[in-house]
Amino acid sequence: QVQLVESGGGLVQAGGSLRLSCAASGGTFSSYGMGWFRQAPGKEREFVTTISSSGGRTYYADSVKGRFTISRDNAKNTVYLQMNSLKPEDTAVYYCSAATRGYATSRFDYYEYWGQGTQVTVSS
């Protein structure tokens, strides 16, 4: 079975940057569409960004466009989330997800596998 492990979360000041990583194992990473979702305290999980299996298609939530960048390295079975110009509103647990069909999508129900999440806290 596919296992996903996020890392790179932490505490950062507003305006700063952070890079999250998601390492995959137990499957064919290069065939998966990958996504990042987040959940802030007291709020529902929301879509952040997604990337197709080849890396040729990406989508971003309006709230992070121009600030966040998703990328993948299929040789390393890893997807990344580069977060710049961080805001306190970005504070959340960030979850990595994998879709075996390989498409980039914002639909959370499309993803079959999920990591445990990594905490990102942005101070004002």
Side-chain angles (χ1 to χ4, degrees), residues 21-108:
S21 297
C22 174
S25 62
T28 307
F29 178 79
S30 61
S31 297
Y32 306 155
M34 301 295 294
W36 286 97
F37 293 77
R38 67 187 183 186
Q39 187 167 20
K43 297 184 178 180
E44 295 183 348
R45 178 177 52 185
E46 67 172 344
F47 167 76
V48 177
T49 182
T50 181
I51 187 168
S52 60
S53 58
S54 68
R57 177 73 69 179
T58 60
Y59 298 105
Y60 296 89
D62 289 341
S63 59
V64 306
K65 285 181 180 177
R67 300 189 299 119
F68 290 11
T69 303
I70 188 171
S71 62
R72 66 190 298 157
D73 187 338
N74 286 346
K76 296 181 178 179
N77 291 345
T78 303
V79 64
Y80 305 96
L81 180 62
Q82 179 65 48
M83 304 184 293
N84 298 326
S85 301
L86 282 162
K87 305 174 181 179
E89 307 92 88
D90 296 318
T91 296
V93 176
Y94 283 71
Y95 297 93
C96 175
S97 57
T100 58
R101 293 184 68 177
Y103 302 122
T105 180
S106 62
R107 291 173 52 190
F108 71 88

Side-chain angles (χ1 to χ4, degrees), residues 99-122:
T100 58
R101 293 184 68 177
Y103 302 122
T105 180
S106 62
R107 291 173 52 190
F108 71 88
D109 59 342
Y110 183 74
Y111 296 90
E112 297 122 318
Y113 303 100
W114 295 82
Q116 296 86 0
T118 185
Q119 177 70 49
V120 172
T121 302
V122 184

